[in-house]
Amino acid sequence: SLMYLNEATLLHNLRLRYNSDIIYTYVANILLAVNPYHELNIYDSEHVKKYHNKSIGQLPPHVFSIADKAYRDMKLSKQSQSVIVSGESGAGKTESTKYIIRYLTESWGQGAGTIEERLVEANPLLEAFGNAKTVRNDNSSRFGKFVEIHFNNQFNVVGGFISHYLLEKSRICVQSKAERNYHIFYALCAGLPEKQKVSLYLKNITDYKYLNHGDVNVTTRNNGEDFKRMEASMNKLNIDSSERSNIYRLISAVLQLGNIMFQEDLSDSRGGSNVCDESKYYLESASRLLSLDETDLANCLTSRVMTTTRGGAKGTVYMIPLKPEQCANARDALAKAIYSRLFDAIVGRVNSCIPFKNSFNYIGVLDIAGFEYFRYNSFEQFCINYCNEKLQQYFNNRVFNQEQKLYEAEGLGITPISFTDNQDCIDMIEAKPNGIFDLLDEESKLPKSSPEHFTMAIHEKYGSHFRLMTPRKSAVTTYRTMRTEEGFVIRHFAGAVCYSTRQFIEKNNDALHTSLEMLVNESKDLFLKGVFCRDIESDKPKSKKANPAKLALVSVGMVSVLKLMQTGFPSRTSFKDLYQRYKGFLPEKLARLDPRLFCKALFRAVGMSDQDYQFGLTKVFFRTGKFAEFDQIMKSDGDSLKEMIAKVEKWLIRTRWRKAIWGALSVIKLHLKIIYRRHHRIVIQKHVKTFLAVRKFKHRYKGMAKVITLFKIINQMQDIASELEGNHYLNQVQDSDTKIKLLIQDIQNKQVDENYINTSYDSLMDTTTTQFEDLKKHLKNQRIAKEEERLKKLQEQMELERKCREEEEERKRKEDEEHKRREELEAKRKQEEEEMKARKLKEEEEMRKAEEQRKNKELEEQEARKKQEEDEERKRRLAEQELHDRELAIRIAQESGGSVVKEKSENSNSLNRKKSEKNDLSGYTYAQLRDIINTSCDIELLQRCREECHRRLKVYHAWKERNKQQSNTANSQTSDQRAPQAVYTEASARRNFPFPDPFNYLPNDKPQRFFRVPFTSGPTARPCGWWFAHFDGDWVVRQLELHSGRPPVVLLAGINDMDMCELQLQETGLSTRPGAEILPEAFEEI
């Protein structure tokens, strides 16, 4: 009934109602309950009868109304229904479950008093074993419970069944300081008779490790009274004293196991452990209570069995010793297994006491913990919140997805409601193989597992995931002091929760070793073996229909539900079902109506607005609470029903009368439409005939229009032909004009088709266009020819003038260049002459000095030679005297029979020969000299090799000159010359001129110079050819001879040395000869 539906108005409304002790509030078909924490007088039998067969919305919100709706929906749809009761710890889930069960059994449990009693009285027993004190609730259910109330085909209660889920096994061994273990442990220690306690080895609560870690002294609970209520529950469930003793014995065994401590066995080289001496009493007590051998139990707790082949009969068995921490884990795992299996057996025992007949359908009530978050959140909260994540996902799928899909299928056009999808959070927790659960299992299997390593593995894997963050990033300041390796924060659908991972591995280690399983199976205690070997599924009775029905999820998402309920239609039914349900209330003439018209008539009769309902394709949908109003009206007293029937008949008469009026108006409208159509039929015929005529002759007049356009081209062609020279162009135009006129006559007078017209037109168009282009081309060519002729004459005249001008400019330029070059060469020649004169003067001076030195040297040499000759004459005479003396001595010795002493003879070759001059090249061949010139990098050696090479060439040519036959003819003279005669004449004039010693004179560079000298013949020295030479420094490297009537001769150094000029540049005198030197470009051009 709120005007504005949002989160703020919802919370404010809940607060106002709670302050007035109105603890229940509807959100569509979802009931919100706020725990008042005190008794309210709204659950008695009168209230049960009051809500019997009442739709939601008829009476104030109540848990009985939800139960009644589940029953009515089961009866109407003939399908099983389920109700989920969810919330935080202490929200009152268990009490709400009791009231729902009570309402169902009391309202429709004819003869089912025992069933109701057993279902209700089973709660104290289940609470003793499954409930514990938490931070927020002293009697918190630490397991999920699903209670099934079964009905027969008459929809009466015939039986019940209880299933449990998610028992918090970690609480058996470890509790927080403000919490306790399960009630049964404290009730047993406080309420059991002293004699029985001694037989079970029970002591005070503070003596047991599994109990003294938590809050032992709780003032809000009486352990003795809890024991009495549990005993009373067992009595009503027919659990005898022998079975109770077995249960108590296993509970005591769990406490004894918790006090067994371990220490390292120093005598074991493998690093094993043994039971501490102070724990031997508890080991003995546990062994007796479990009917096990004490030694076997100790060995199984301190070691485990491993085989080489898993499950193999012939595998080798190894006993692996365990460390103290591993022994403690094995002990806790055994305690958890015994308690959890015992809890399974107790639930099975409760189910066996509940009567059960053949079931047709059932209503299931799921009591499960809601979303939990405390100051300190551990493994228990992580598992519970994970379960709520799965419930939220199912809630999204059923309440949002399927609801919107139904609206779309029925064509209601409802705007989709957006909601948060939590699939990514579920995947992060349960994904294979790297989900948080898998990472925890892998860490538990490690030899040295640690919470820090497990936590860092989570951050490393999901560090960038949206749902996970480090504690330092939490909005709660308490968690910001926690280190990264101590925990993690998950963004759940209901908010971010920080989990401490310090006890995750310890609480997750509940798997029994193979040795412990074998030990339990070998126990002599039949009850213990039965507890471990029970098949839980076999306890459940078979139902005719086991399909789960839709779940009314109420755990979360209220704001999104508000939006959906505000814009949607939560109640719906098919036309057929509505017809079958209410046709008995109406007379026969109304019941014969079509189901859709029947529903419409009912809604009109009860005065429902069009905004309160909407018709789909197969169903009718109601706004929130409107279907209940409609149902209430239909089930009212007889007078109201008669009044409603009268309204229905009145609405039908009015509807039929309106239909008759609309029928008459439709006939009149049809008559006018016929007149209108008859008038316009003539207009249509006129246009149709026009259209047919146009379509019949369209191609002819369109073709004629196209052909007529060709005359424009003909006129242009005539204008062009008149300008051209010759009459044959005009004749061609007249022929084309005649063809066009003939085609027009054919179109006018003959029945020609469109294809013929188009073909003829295209042909004429191509011909005309071609002729037109040809005429334009001829005219253009004619004009171009005339213009070209005029331009040619003008161009020739201009070209002639230009050539004359260019020739004059070129002549002047060449004259200027030649004059400049001659001036440069003349200046260079004069400079070289001056240098030559200076060098000659210097050389003459040097020659004079050298001549004086030579004469002095010759005098010295003559004196030395004369002295040497005198010394040699003296030595010769001395040698002859010594020879005569020796011969005389030999002769005397022979005559007297003596001997002659041998004397060392002077070796005439003992005189030291003068060392050969450096780089004596007299032993090199010409080829070797040429190779050195081409390959050597020694400048001095290279220069001397070139000098030696040219020296030999001079000798060769001098010898050749002396031995050739002299010829006086000019031709023979020029043919054998290696250079013009003027060059050799100049060279012979300089033959006796002393040149610098090549061994002492090395130029710093090699200037490239080019010369041209004519070959002359006859007494007048008439030129008969040209000789070109390229000097690289002092020697010719390229030589060219041009003779009239003969091919040119090109000689290269290194290839044609024998035929080239062997003279040095200074010998030829070309550098001082006027007009001999030319530019490099002139030489290269020739």
Side-chain angles (χ1 to χ4, degrees):
S1 61
L2 292 176
M3 183 176 296
Y4 300 101
L5 293 178
N6 52 53
E7 186 176 5
T9 57
L10 175 62
L11 293 174
H12 181 67
N13 187 46
L14 288 176
R15 182 178 181 180
L16 293 177
R17 295 171 67 86
Y18 180 76
N19 292 333
S20 302
D21 275 345
I22 305 175
I23 63 173
Y24 294 114
T25 303
Y26 283 135
V27 178
N29 295 340
I30 300 173
L31 180 68
L32 300 183
V34 184
N35 194 345
Y37 292 102
H38 63 84
E39 294 292 336
L40 296 177
N41 190 23
I42 57 174
Y43 302 106
D44 53 13
S45 299
E46 293 182 1
H47 280 82
V48 171
K49 294 179 182 179
K50 182 179 178 180
Y51 281 89
H52 187 67
N53 287 331
K54 295 295 189 295
S55 300
I56 292 178
Q58 286 186 250
L59 295 176
H62 201 284
V63 68
F64 290 163
S65 182
I66 295 296
D68 186 78
K69 176 174 174 54
Y71 176 81
R72 288 186 289 105
D73 288 348
M74 178 191 67
K75 188 176 180 181
L76 180 63
S77 63
K78 296 180 176 56
Q79 290 183 346
S80 298
Q81 304 292 314
S82 293
V83 179
I84 286 186
V85 183
S86 181
E88 296 182 358
S89 178
K93 300 184 295 298
T94 303
E95 294 299 322
S96 297
T97 302
K98 293 178 184 177
Y99 292 137
I100 292 174
I101 295 173
R102 176 187 170 190
Y103 180 85
L104 293 175
T105 55
E106 186 175 336
S107 298
W108 293 284
Q110 299 176 2
T114 305
I115 298 174
E116 177 188 0
E117 182 180 352
R118 296 291 167 82
L119 289 173
V120 174
E121 291 300 332
N123 283 323
L125 178 60
L126 296 178
E127 287 179 1
F129 283 86
N131 288 25
K133 178 187 180 303
T134 62
V135 177
R136 298 184 180 179
N137 186 10
D138 292 344
N139 189 31
S140 175
S141 298
R142 307 318 297 167
F143 69 100
K145 179 173 59 178
F146 187 66
V147 181
E148 300 175 7
I149 308 298
H150 288 262
F151 298 83
N152 58 15
N153 55 2
Q154 300 299 320
F155 300 103
N156 295 321
V157 178
V158 294
F161 187 81
I162 300 175
S163 303
H164 74 280
Y165 310 94
L166 299 175
L167 177 66
E168 190 180 336
K169 292 186 287 184
S170 61
R171 183 174 292 272
I172 300 169
C173 303
V174 181
Q175 312 91 38
S176 301
K177 291 183 179 181
E179 298 187 353
R180 291 205 318 174
N181 208 325
Y182 291 103
H183 296 327
I184 182 61
F185 295 107
Y186 307 95
L188 205 62
C189 292
L192 202 65
E194 193 66 29
K195 182 179 179 180
Q196 197 171 357
K197 288 174 62 177
V198 172
S199 64
L200 296 177
Y201 306 101
L202 284 175
K203 297 181 180 181
N204 295 326
I205 296 173
T206 57
D207 293 333
Y208 295 104
K209 302 289 185 182
Y210 283 171
L211 302 181
N212 56 19
H213 291 296
D215 188 3
V216 178
N217 300 318
V218 180
T219 59
T220 57
R221 296 197 65 86
N222 190 323
N223 296 328
E225 293 297 327
D226 290 344
F227 183 77
K228 291 179 181 179
R229 282 194 298 270
M230 182 189 67
E231 286 277 327
S233 178
M234 288 183 174
N235 290 331
K236 294 181 180 180
L237 294 175
N238 297 328
I239 300 177
D240 56 17
S241 59
S242 175
E243 194 170 359
R244 297 181 195 178
S245 298
N246 289 329
I247 294 173
Y248 298 158
R249 182 165 46 81
L250 294 185
I251 295 297
S252 178
V254 171
L255 294 177
Q256 307 303 325
L257 287 172
N259 280 18
I260 299 175
M261 299 295 142
F262 304 93
Q263 64 183 1
E264 293 185 4
D265 188 358
L266 301 178
S267 61
D268 190 353
S269 60
R270 297 181 297 172
S273 306
N274 54 23
V275 180
C276 297
D277 294 337
E278 59 269 18
S279 301
K280 294 292 181 65
Y281 168 76
Y282 298 105
L283 176 65
E284 181 182 359
S285 301
S287 302
R288 292 179 180 179
L289 292 173
L290 297 175
S291 299
L292 299 174
D293 183 75
E294 180 181 351
T295 305
D296 292 342
L297 178 58
N299 291 335
C300 291
L301 290 175
T302 57
S303 61
R304 61 187 178 93
V305 175
M306 288 188 65
T307 56
T308 54
T309 56
R310 192 181 297 272
K314 297 181 181 181
T316 304
V317 178
Y318 296 95
M319 294 297 294
I320 307 299
L322 302 177
K323 296 181 179 181
E325 297 82 2
Q326 296 174 333
C327 296
N329 292 336
R331 175 203 63 199
D332 294 343
L334 179 59
K336 294 176 185 177
I338 293 174
Y339 191 87
S340 62
R341 301 294 177 87
L342 178 61
F343 187 75
D344 295 340
I346 291 174
V347 174
R349 186 67 180 81
V350 171
N351 287 327
S352 65
C353 298
I354 300 175
F356 194 93
K357 298 179 182 179
N358 187 23
S359 173
F360 183 73
N361 289 115
Y362 70 86
I363 294 177
V365 182
L366 178 62
D367 176 7
I368 191 167
F371 186 80
E372 288 190 355
Y373 57 95
F374 305 111
R375 181 183 180 88
Y376 176 82
N377 302 282
S378 187
F379 187 63
E380 301 87 353
Q381 285 71 39
F382 182 74
C383 294
I384 291 173
N385 293 340
Y386 162 67
C387 179
N388 280 272
E389 288 282 356
K390 298 288 286 188
L391 288 174
Q392 173 66 14
Q393 184 191 34
Y394 192 76
F395 180 88
N396 293 340
N397 184 57
R398 295 304 299 266
V399 174
F400 293 107
N401 287 345
Q402 295 190 9
E403 189 78 7
Q404 293 180 4
K405 288 181 180 178
L406 178 62
Y407 291 165
E408 184 179 354
E410 291 289 335
L412 300 187
I414 303 299
T415 304
I417 302 298
S418 60
F419 57 91
T420 303
D421 189 5
N422 63 336
Q423 183 62 46
D424 57 342
C425 184
I426 295 174
D427 292 339
M428 181 180 66
I429 297 174
E430 68 178 9
K432 303 288 184 180
N434 292 320
I436 295 179
F437 279 138
D438 272 9
L439 294 176
L440 181 59
D441 292 339
E442 291 297 326
E443 186 68 27
S444 301
K445 296 176 183 178
L446 296 177
K448 294 183 179 180
S449 59
S450 66
E452 293 79 9
H453 184 267
F454 162 66
T455 309
M456 294 307 297
I458 293 177
H459 287 300
E460 182 178 355
K461 180 63 181 176
Y462 298 104
S464 59
H465 200 285
F466 166 73
R467 295 284 184 175
L468 188 132
M469 62 181 180
T470 58
R472 296 181 184 275
K473 296 181 180 179
S474 174
V476 183
T477 57
T478 306
Y479 300 142
R480 291 183 180 179
T481 59
M482 188 181 297
R483 295 195 301 270
T484 303
E485 63 272 13
E486 292 180 349
F488 56 88
V489 179
I490 293 182
R491 293 186 177 95
H492 291 285
F493 66 92
V497 180
C498 181
Y499 298 99
S500 174
T501 57
R502 185 169 58 86
Q503 294 180 336
F504 263 53
I505 299 174
E506 181 180 352
K507 294 179 179 181
N508 186 56
N509 286 332
D510 56 357
L512 283 178
H513 295 160
T514 305
S515 55
L516 289 175
E517 291 182 357
M518 296 171 60
L519 182 65
V520 172
N521 292 330
E522 294 175 359
S523 173
K524 299 177 182 179
D525 187 356
L526 297 179
F527 183 77
L528 177 63
K529 295 175 66 175
V531 166
F532 271 82
C533 299
R534 285 183 69 254
D535 185 4
I536 299 175
E537 292 298 328
S538 63
D539 296 338
K540 186 174 181 180
K542 303 298 181 182
S543 176
K544 180 178 178 181
K545 292 185 179 180
N547 294 330
K550 66 178 180 179
L551 301 178
L553 301 177
V554 297
S555 57
V556 288
M558 292 297 104
V559 177
S560 299
V561 173
L562 285 173
K563 294 180 181 179
L564 183 65
M565 297 302 106
Q566 183 181 16
T567 59
F569 299 85
S571 302
R572 77 290 310 271
T573 184
S574 64
F575 298 127
K576 183 178 180 181
D577 292 342
L578 197 66
Y579 175 76
Q580 293 294 335
R581 184 171 182 176
Y582 296 107
K583 70 176 182 179
F585 293 96
L586 301 178
E588 183 179 359
K589 62 180 180 179
L590 297 179
R592 292 197 302 265
L593 295 174
D594 178 72
R596 189 181 183 94
L597 181 60
F598 177 83
C599 296
K600 192 172 183 180
L602 288 180
F603 298 157
R604 292 289 184 181
V606 300
M608 292 183 66
S609 172
D610 293 340
Q611 303 296 327
D612 296 337
Y613 68 92
Q614 188 168 350
F615 281 4
L617 299 178
T618 60
K619 297 180 180 181
V620 59
F621 296 80
F622 299 92
R623 294 285 187 186
T624 304
K626 297 302 178 181
F627 184 70
E629 295 178 4
F630 172 75
D631 184 70
Q632 183 180 4
I633 294 173
M634 292 300 299
K635 295 180 180 180
S636 58
D637 55 10
D639 294 337
S640 299
L641 188 62
K642 289 180 181 179
E643 184 179 353
M644 184 191 68
I645 292 173
K647 289 181 180 179
V648 171
E649 292 177 347
K650 184 178 180 180
W651 180 82
L652 288 174
I653 292 173
R654 286 181 177 178
T655 302
R656 290 169 181 170
W657 174 245
R658 289 193 185 97
K659 288 183 179 179
I661 293 174
W662 280 107
L665 292 175
S666 299
V667 171
I668 295 172
K669 185 177 180 180
L670 179 62
H671 173 69
L672 295 175
K673 186 179 290 185
I674 291 173
I675 296 174
Y676 174 81
R677 288 183 176 180
R678 183 173 58 188
H679 169 71
H680 285 80
R681 183 179 61 182
I682 299 173
V683 177
I684 293 173
Q685 289 177 352
K686 180 186 68 174
H687 288 287
V688 167
K689 290 180 179 179
T690 304
F691 170 74
L692 293 175
V694 169
R695 187 175 64 177
K696 181 177 180 181
F697 299 103
K698 182 178 181 179
H699 65 282
R700 296 176 67 182
Y701 72 78
K702 281 192 173 183
M704 186 179 295
K706 288 196 299 183
V707 173
I708 291 174
T709 58
L710 295 177
F711 285 116
K712 295 181 180 180
I713 301 176
I714 295 297
N715 294 333
Q716 295 177 6
M717 292 171 62
Q718 289 178 350
D719 294 338
I720 294 173
S722 61
E723 295 183 14
L724 293 174
E725 298 176 355
N727 296 327
H728 59 283
Y729 296 112
L730 288 174
N731 295 333
Q732 292 179 0
V733 174
Q734 291 177 358
D735 293 341
S736 299
D737 183 66
T738 303
K739 291 179 180 179
I740 293 172
K741 292 178 179 178
L742 290 176
L743 178 58
I744 292 174
Q745 292 178 2
D746 291 342
I747 294 173
Q748 291 176 345
N749 302 326
K750 297 181 181 179
Q751 295 293 332
V752 293
D753 56 3
E754 185 177 2
N755 187 23
Y756 172 79
I757 296 173
N758 292 334
T759 304
S760 302
Y761 171 76
D762 293 339
S763 177
L764 285 175
M765 187 66 182
D766 294 341
T767 304
T768 306
T769 305
T770 303
Q771 290 180 358
F772 184 57
E773 294 297 329
D774 290 342
L775 289 175
K776 290 196 294 183
K777 185 176 180 181
H778 289 308
L779 180 61
K780 182 179 179 181
N781 292 338
Q782 180 176 317
R783 290 176 178 175
I784 290 173
K786 291 181 179 179
E787 185 66 20
E788 285 179 351
E789 185 177 358
R790 185 182 66 80
L791 292 176
K792 185 177 180 181
K793 293 179 180 179
L794 181 61
Q795 186 176 4
E796 287 177 355
Q797 183 179 359
M798 293 174 65
E799 184 68 19
L800 182 60
E801 293 177 357
R802 185 185 63 80
K803 284 183 179 181
C804 293
R805 187 170 58 256
E806 287 179 355
E807 288 177 357
E808 183 65 21
E809 292 176 356
E810 182 68 18
R811 184 182 60 79
K812 290 181 180 180
R813 185 182 62 79
K814 287 183 178 181
E815 287 179 355
D816 293 341
E817 289 180 355
E818 185 67 21
H819 180 69
K820 185 177 180 180
R821 187 165 53 249
R822 288 177 180 177
E823 288 179 351
E824 291 176 355
L825 293 177
E826 185 64 24
K828 188 175 181 181
R829 185 185 61 79
K830 289 180 179 180
Q831 183 181 0
E832 289 180 353
E833 285 182 354
E834 292 176 357
E835 291 176 356
M836 182 62 71
K837 289 178 181 180
R839 191 165 55 249
K840 283 181 179 182
L841 294 175
K842 186 178 180 180
E843 288 174 355
E844 287 177 358
E845 182 65 24
E846 289 177 355
M847 287 177 64
R848 185 180 59 77
K849 292 180 181 181
E851 184 65 25
E852 292 178 357
Q853 292 177 1
R854 184 181 61 79
K855 290 179 179 180
N856 295 333
K857 189 175 181 181
E858 285 180 357
L859 292 175
E860 291 176 358
E861 286 177 356
Q862 288 178 3
E863 291 177 359
R865 193 164 46 250
K866 184 178 181 181
K867 185 177 180 180
Q868 182 180 4
E869 289 176 357
E870 291 176 355
D871 291 339
E872 288 178 356
E873 182 65 23
R874 184 179 55 80
K875 289 179 181 180
R876 184 181 60 77
R877 291 176 182 177
L878 181 58
E880 288 178 358
Q881 184 66 37
E882 288 177 355
L883 181 61
H884 291 312
D885 292 343
R886 185 173 182 75
E887 288 177 356
L888 180 59
I890 292 172
R891 189 167 59 249
I892 294 171
Q894 288 177 355
E895 291 177 359
S896 62
S899 62
V900 179
V901 181
K902 292 184 178 180
E903 297 179 357
K904 292 183 179 180
S905 60
E906 293 183 0
N907 188 0
S908 59
N909 296 323
S910 61
L911 296 176
N912 292 329
R913 296 182 178 178
K914 292 183 179 180
K915 222 174 185 181
S916 59
E917 296 181 355
K918 182 181 178 182
N919 295 325
D920 186 6
L921 305 177
S922 59
Y924 285 79
T925 63
Y926 175 77
Q928 292 174 338
L929 294 175
R930 179 54 61 184
D931 291 339
I932 293 174
I933 293 172
N934 294 332
T935 59
S936 177
C937 295
D938 188 347
I939 299 176
E940 183 179 356
L941 179 60
L942 180 63
Q943 185 68 19
R944 291 177 177 178
C945 289
R946 295 182 68 176
E947 294 291 341
E948 177 64 20
C949 182
H950 286 79
R951 186 189 65 79
R952 295 185 183 184
L953 288 176
K954 290 179 181 180
V955 174
Y956 165 72
H957 288 298
W959 171 83
K960 187 176 179 183
E961 187 71 22
R962 287 193 302 267
N963 289 281
K964 71 176 182 179
Q965 295 181 356
Q966 296 296 328
S967 176
N968 295 326
T969 60
N971 292 336
S972 61
Q973 180 182 1
T974 57
S975 61
D976 295 332
Q977 287 181 345
R978 297 174 300 283
Q981 187 61 37
V983 175
Y984 281 101
T985 303
E986 182 68 23
S988 55
R990 295 170 179 261
R991 181 83 58 185
N992 298 325
F993 188 83
F995 292 98
D997 186 3
F999 296 98
N1000 298 323
Y1001 171 74
L1002 294 176
N1004 294 327
D1005 56 355
K1006 292 182 179 181
Q1008 309 294 315
R1009 303 183 70 174
F1010 303 87
F1011 299 93
R1012 181 182 65 178
V1013 180
F1015 284 107
T1016 58
S1017 64
T1020 59
R1022 180 176 55 85
C1024 61
W1026 291 96
W1027 180 79
F1028 296 87
H1030 171 200
F1031 280 85
D1032 180 13
D1034 291 336
W1035 310 103
V1036 177
V1037 294
R1038 288 190 294 175
Q1039 180 175 319
L1040 175 63
E1041 299 178 10
L1042 298 178
H1043 297 280
S1044 177
R1046 288 189 295 172
V1049 177
V1050 179
L1051 304 177
L1052 302 175
I1055 301 177
N1056 311 107
D1057 291 332
M1058 296 300 181
D1059 298 325
M1060 295 178 66
C1061 178
E1062 74 284 4
L1063 301 177
Q1064 281 186 313
L1065 179 60
Q1066 294 177 351
E1067 292 183 87
T1068 60
L1070 293 175
S1071 58
T1072 59
R1073 181 169 181 167
E1077 188 169 2
I1078 62 175
L1079 296 175
E1081 294 81 4
F1083 182 86
E1084 297 296 339
E1085 182 179 359
I1086 296 172

